[in-house]
Amino acid sequence: MEPLQLPVGVELLFVGALLLLFLVVSFALVGGVLLVRQNRSPDQQRLDRLEQQVEELQRRVDRLDDQ
């Protein structure tokens, strides 16, 4: 049985570069999504809040209609 051989030289650099590239792209995607969600315009945020309030009021009306 042969002893376990670790990759050395160019192979190790290639694998390390691929791993680093994967990590950088992953963090960039996650950061970009979070940044886009956070930096919405105030009008859009206001509209989102109003939509949530309308949905809540509709649920209340539906409950009162059921009673």
Side-chain angles (χ1 to χ4, degrees), residues 12-60:
L12 185 60
L13 287 175
F14 183 71
V15 170
L18 284 177
L19 179 61
L20 184 62
L21 180 64
F22 174 75
L23 289 174
V24 168
V25 169
S26 298
F27 281 119
L29 287 174
V30 170
V33 167
L34 292 177
L35 188 65
V36 166
R37 289 186 65 193
Q38 183 180 17
N39 286 338
R40 296 161 104 194
S41 68
D43 291 338
Q44 184 65 39
Q45 291 175 354
R46 194 175 307 120
L47 182 61
D48 289 343
R49 279 196 308 272
L50 286 174
E51 287 175 350
Q52 289 174 354
Q53 290 173 354
V54 166
E55 290 172 2
E56 177 61 30
L57 289 172
Q58 185 62 47
R59 283 193 293 269
R60 287 182 185 178

Side-chain angles (χ1 to χ4, degrees), residues 62-67:
D62 291 342
R63 273 187 300 210
L64 289 174
D65 285 344
D66 290 342
Q67 291 179 355

